[in-house]
Amino acid sequence: MASSHSSSPVPQSSSSDTFFKKEVDATKRFRPVQSLPDVCPKEPTVVDQQRWTIYHSKVNLPAALNDPRLAKRESDFFTKTWGVDFVDTEVTPSFYLPQITKEHFALYQQEITPREKVHERCKNICTPKDTFDRTLLHTHDKSRTDLEQVPKIFMKPDFALEDSITFNAVLPWSHFSTAGGKGNRDAASSKLLQEKLSHYLDIVEVNIAHQISLRSEAFFHAMTSQHELQDYLRKTSQAVKLLREKIAKIDKVMCEGSLRVLRLSLTRNNCIKAYSKLKLMATVHQTQPTVQLLLSTSEYVGALDLIATTQEVLQQELQGIHSFRHLGSQLCELEKLIDKMMIAEFSTYARNDLNRPLEDDCQILEEVCKNLVFLIFAIPFKACFLFLCVPVGIMASKQLLFAEYCSFFRLADQMRKMNFPQWFDLLKNIFSKFTIFLKRVKATLNTIRSVVFLVLDKNQKNRDLEDTLQKNSAKESMVDSEVAYLTHEGMFISDAFSDGELPTGAADLASQRNTSPNSEPCSSDSVSEPECTTDSSSSKEHTSSSVTPGGVEMMISDDMKLTDLELVRLANNIQELLYNASDVCHDRSVKFLMARAKDGFLEKLNSNEFVTLSRLMEGFILDTEQICGRKSMSLRGALQSQANRFVNRFHEERKTKLSLLLDNERWKQAEVPAEFQDLVDSVSDGRISLPEKKPTATEERKPAEFLIVEGQKYATVGTVLLLIRIILEYCQCVDNIPSITTDMLTRLSDLLKYFNSRSCQLVLGAGALQVVGLKTITTKNLALSSRCLQLIVHYIPIIRAHFEARLQPKQFSMLRHFDHITKDYHDHIAEISTKLVAIMDSLFDKLLSKYEVKAPVPSACFRNICKQMAKMHEAIYDLLPEEQTQMLFLRINASYKLHLKRQLAHLNVVNDGGPLNGLVTSDVAFYTGNLQALKGLNNLDLNMAEIWEQKR
């Protein structure tokens, strides 16, 4: 309102494409007279007096609208209104503002149009509130009449000169559009228009001044309230000043001295802390020289403890000290140097211990044990030290293990020239040295483990001591509180109490603190120094004296870096070292074994030599397992591999031997040498063992005709005698080499099956006619083959029990092979019996088919039958047992009766007591008498009545 420029609309450009200035709400620019508020009748408050309103305006609007810089009223309307700098030029669009068109306001117009309609309806329904007093308006009718002279277009809410219609209505171009252009404008019309607009302005200004005068009462009332408020504030300020003076006196008399005492006390404590920090810094500054001094005496425990304590102090109490910014990295490098020194010393110890002659004692030397114990005590402070030393020890062991015998590996050809006894003695010597080596390693690791267990035991004792102290603290609360206070102040318990005044747990704790080698008394300054000892110094650290297994007395610190779980894991890793040493020995042994086995030397060993070698290796494996407490599988695997090769060669040799024997067997009864009888006699009570060779006097014993097995006679062939020996060799190998039990069982099953199938081919299949050159397969060959099979069947249960005792329960399923073999052998024996019966059956069919019932009696047919029966009996009686002979002849007799019955039916001879019946009866009686006259068949029930047809 202070200037005409703020109230008059200004067009931005004469062009329609230029930017549009945001329209100002017309109600804000031109307020109708009716909308002015009344003067508030209440007394204005301080807030109302401070808020600026239109009533504070004291500027004469006409004076503000008149430009004092102009000497006279210009005739040009534009220069008068917008200044002398107004030029009718094109306004260049701004590059930073977008091109705004009316389309940008289309959405707004769509949204506001319904609201405007609602507003207009409401305005028509509700009469507007008239805030002016009607009587007051009647008083100023003249002013209203003057105001009505102003055209209504100026009073419109949407008045805007940028609107072309409005602009043409206010400034009709008819006054300026002359033919002469700008230079020929009608000056009179312009001046008249300007005077008219000035008149309108004066009317508005007069009405505004009138409205201001109507509010003068409220203005003066506000001024009066302002003076009263200032008086009130002046009194308040004086009261506050008086109150402050009183508070200042109270502060000086009662508070200033006490606060000064507190400040001085705080300053004193800060000085003490600064002094303690300086002393601590001086101590930390001496860390490196002290560590160098400790390392010169190989005091790794103290050096590592000092480094750990210093690093803890640097991280907790001296963190951020600029002068110590490089000390942490220097201590880390020093710690790495200690690692190297410890590894070098441990390597030296390992070499010195392993360089000792292997014939010496397996225990650690006393001097070496002391050095080792001092070295191992650094483990709790350097957890990775042991794991760094492990490869060193293993490498040292690998370098020294085969120093004495490395020439044999470099000169493998010379080693291969050794015979078995020489090579066996060498291997036995190596196993002995390996055993001594493992015992030495175990002694060393036992020393390390004892140190670890000593620390664990100490930790347990400390926990028990803490539990005791906690129990005593509940009973001795007053004493315990003073102990806690003195401990917090950095003093030793023993400095404050006598031994008699201390509780048991506290006395023990004090004695442990005083015996600590790292604890130092505090300085005897007059000033109390709570921080004269660090958290990791003697006020916190407990040590105790313990004696190691090597007789070395050591001070064990409670400030260990390893927990109980880590110590237990460390002890387990130590045991793992012994396992690794055992594995190294086994691996070296495997290499030695494989170097000799390259030319097939081990596969060419006989059974006794391989059994001897296997027992030696098994003994070494058991010794290492006893020392280490764990099985090493490398050497056992190599032994198993060689055993498998041995089993294959063993089986192939014996199978080949059996095949050759069978191909040359003529299936005649062989004499039984005494050694084979002794071999059979050695198998008793189900236990199989090969008899030892007796002196040569036993060779003078004559061979027997039969093999006696548990009182039974067995007529055998030479192949079966050798097969029994081969079977016992298989069983003996299982006893000597238990690891090959399953393989031997499979191979033996294969051998027995091979004998059964091959003998069947040669005898029943008549293969011996071509292989051996026999003229025919006789009944004696068949009976002898059957008896040989029966002998093998007799030993199968014994063999089965022998293997069953040496198999694991989960392997019992393999025993089914013996059941299958037994069934096959029984089937083979039954086939032989059937073959014998079939031979006689074909004979009966041939002879009885030509039988005629006529004299003389006995007939020639029956005499031939009896003769053949006698030959059969003579062939098998000495070979088969009497029971089997009787069963065989019963089957033959049944076949005879069947053929005779068929022939009699063919001849129509019946049992009617006639002449033909008598002739047949005489022949049958002759047959019966001859058959029962044979040895062992006298009680045979022939039941010859079955030859006659039964009468229906």
PDB file of all heavy atoms in Angstrom, residues 55-66:
ATOM      1  N   TYR A  55      -3.791  -0.058  10.079  1.00  0.00           N
ATOM      2  CA  TYR A  55      -4.002   1.183  10.839  1.00  0.00           C
ATOM      3  C   TYR A  55      -2.710   1.850  11.244  1.00  0.00           C
ATOM      4  O   TYR A  55      -2.710   2.971  11.751  1.00  0.00           O
ATOM      5  CB  TYR A  55      -4.848   0.887  12.083  1.00  0.00           C
ATOM      6  CG  TYR A  55      -6.139   0.187  11.748  1.00  0.00           C
ATOM      7  CD1 TYR A  55      -6.382  -1.112  12.179  1.00  0.00           C
ATOM      8  CD2 TYR A  55      -7.133   0.848  11.014  1.00  0.00           C
ATOM      9  CE1 TYR A  55      -7.564  -1.769  11.873  1.00  0.00           C
ATOM     10  CE2 TYR A  55      -8.324   0.208  10.707  1.00  0.00           C
ATOM     11  CZ  TYR A  55      -8.530  -1.102  11.125  1.00  0.00           C
ATOM     12  OH  TYR A  55      -9.685  -1.739  10.812  1.00  0.00           O
ATOM     13  N   HIS A  56      -1.582   1.096  11.144  1.00  0.00           N
ATOM     14  CA  HIS A  56      -0.285   1.698  11.458  1.00  0.00           C
ATOM     15  C   HIS A  56       0.227   2.570  10.321  1.00  0.00           C
ATOM     16  O   HIS A  56       1.261   3.221  10.464  1.00  0.00           O
ATOM     17  CB  HIS A  56       0.751   0.595  11.758  1.00  0.00           C
ATOM     18  CG  HIS A  56       0.511  -0.130  13.044  1.00  0.00           C
ATOM     19  ND1 HIS A  56      -0.463  -1.109  13.172  1.00  0.00           N
ATOM     20  CD2 HIS A  56       1.088  -0.014  14.261  1.00  0.00           C
ATOM     21  CE1 HIS A  56      -0.458  -1.586  14.389  1.00  0.00           C
ATOM     22  NE2 HIS A  56       0.495  -0.930  15.107  1.00  0.00           N
ATOM     23  N   SER A  57      -0.420   2.529   9.161  1.00  0.00           N
ATOM     24  CA  SER A  57       0.064   3.286   8.011  1.00  0.00           C
ATOM     25  C   SER A  57      -0.198   4.794   8.217  1.00  0.00           C
ATOM     26  O   SER A  57      -1.316   5.200   8.526  1.00  0.00           O
ATOM     27  CB  SER A  57      -0.665   2.811   6.733  1.00  0.00           C
ATOM     28  OG  SER A  57      -0.255   3.569   5.634  1.00  0.00           O
ATOM     29  N   LYS A  58       0.862   5.580   8.084  1.00  0.00           N
ATOM     30  CA  LYS A  58       0.762   7.034   8.304  1.00  0.00           C
ATOM     31  C   LYS A  58       1.253   7.821   7.101  1.00  0.00           C
ATOM     32  O   LYS A  58       1.611   8.963   7.198  1.00  0.00           O
ATOM     33  CB  LYS A  58       1.580   7.440   9.535  1.00  0.00           C
ATOM     34  CG  LYS A  58       1.118   6.761  10.818  1.00  0.00           C
ATOM     35  CD  LYS A  58       1.967   7.187  11.988  1.00  0.00           C
ATOM     36  CE  LYS A  58       1.538   6.486  13.266  1.00  0.00           C
ATOM     37  NZ  LYS A  58       2.377   6.887  14.417  1.00  0.00           N
ATOM     38  N   VAL A  59       1.350   7.175   5.932  1.00  0.00           N
ATOM     39  CA  VAL A  59       1.875   7.826   4.732  1.00  0.00           C
ATOM     40  C   VAL A  59       0.699   8.368   3.917  1.00  0.00           C
ATOM     41  O   VAL A  59      -0.314   7.673   3.743  1.00  0.00           O
ATOM     42  CB  VAL A  59       2.715   6.824   3.913  1.00  0.00           C
ATOM     43  CG1 VAL A  59       3.280   7.513   2.677  1.00  0.00           C
ATOM     44  CG2 VAL A  59       3.832   6.250   4.759  1.00  0.00           C
ATOM     45  N   ASN A  60       0.860   9.572   3.426  1.00  0.00           N
ATOM     46  CA  ASN A  60      -0.149  10.172   2.575  1.00  0.00           C
ATOM     47  C   ASN A  60      -0.086   9.497   1.215  1.00  0.00           C
ATOM     48  O   ASN A  60       0.934   9.576   0.519  1.00  0.00           O
ATOM     49  CB  ASN A  60       0.094  11.672   2.436  1.00  0.00           C
ATOM     50  CG  ASN A  60      -1.060  12.363   1.732  1.00  0.00           C
ATOM     51  OD1 ASN A  60      -2.056  11.715   1.389  1.00  0.00           O
ATOM     52  ND2 ASN A  60      -0.926  13.651   1.514  1.00  0.00           N
ATOM     53  N   LEU A  61      -1.134   8.778   0.873  1.00  0.00           N
ATOM     54  CA  LEU A  61      -1.117   7.996  -0.364  1.00  0.00           C
ATOM     55  C   LEU A  61      -0.946   8.877  -1.592  1.00  0.00           C
ATOM     56  O   LEU A  61      -0.209   8.493  -2.501  1.00  0.00           O
ATOM     57  CB  LEU A  61      -2.398   7.168  -0.459  1.00  0.00           C
ATOM     58  CG  LEU A  61      -2.505   6.016   0.554  1.00  0.00           C
ATOM     59  CD1 LEU A  61      -3.819   5.278   0.337  1.00  0.00           C
ATOM     60  CD2 LEU A  61      -1.341   5.079   0.403  1.00  0.00           C
ATOM     61  N   PRO A  62      -1.590  10.009  -1.680  1.00  0.00           N
ATOM     62  CA  PRO A  62      -1.346  10.847  -2.873  1.00  0.00           C
ATOM     63  C   PRO A  62       0.105  11.258  -2.987  1.00  0.00           C
ATOM     64  O   PRO A  62       0.674  11.278  -4.088  1.00  0.00           O
ATOM     65  CB  PRO A  62      -2.266  12.044  -2.660  1.00  0.00           C
ATOM     66  CG  PRO A  62      -3.357  11.507  -1.800  1.00  0.00           C
ATOM     67  CD  PRO A  62      -2.711  10.511  -0.877  1.00  0.00           C
ATOM     68  N   ALA A  63       0.706  11.592  -1.824  1.00  0.00           N
ATOM     69  CA  ALA A  63       2.127  11.965  -1.866  1.00  0.00           C
ATOM     70  C   ALA A  63       2.990  10.789  -2.295  1.00  0.00           C
ATOM     71  O   ALA A  63       3.991  10.944  -2.982  1.00  0.00           O
ATOM     72  CB  ALA A  63       2.576  12.478  -0.497  1.00  0.00           C
ATOM     73  N   ALA A  64       2.596   9.596  -1.883  1.00  0.00           N
ATOM     74  CA  ALA A  64       3.387   8.424  -2.265  1.00  0.00           C
ATOM     75  C   ALA A  64       3.228   8.099  -3.734  1.00  0.00           C
ATOM     76  O   ALA A  64       4.147   7.607  -4.386  1.00  0.00           O
ATOM     77  CB  ALA A  64       2.967   7.214  -1.434  1.00  0.00           C
ATOM     78  N   LEU A  65       2.028   8.389  -4.259  1.00  0.00           N
ATOM     79  CA  LEU A  65       1.800   8.061  -5.661  1.00  0.00           C
ATOM     80  C   LEU A  65       2.415   9.096  -6.581  1.00  0.00           C
ATOM     81  O   LEU A  65       2.721   8.782  -7.742  1.00  0.00           O
ATOM     82  CB  LEU A  65       0.294   7.958  -5.944  1.00  0.00           C
ATOM     83  CG  LEU A  65      -0.427   6.801  -5.260  1.00  0.00           C
ATOM     84  CD1 LEU A  65      -1.922   6.904  -5.516  1.00  0.00           C
ATOM     85  CD2 LEU A  65       0.105   5.476  -5.787  1.00  0.00           C
ATOM     86  N   ASN A  66       2.601  10.292  -6.120  1.00  0.00           N
ATOM     87  CA  ASN A  66       3.213  11.334  -6.957  1.00  0.00           C
ATOM     88  C   ASN A  66       4.720  11.182  -6.931  1.00  0.00           C
ATOM     89  O   ASN A  66       5.336  11.130  -5.854  1.00  0.00           O
ATOM     90  CB  ASN A  66       2.830  12.732  -6.459  1.00  0.00           C
ATOM     91  CG  ASN A  66       1.348  12.995  -6.651  1.00  0.00           C
ATOM     92  OD1 ASN A  66       0.749  12.501  -7.601  1.00  0.00           O
ATOM     93  ND2 ASN A  66       0.770  13.780  -5.745  1.00  0.00           N
TER      94      ASN A  66
END
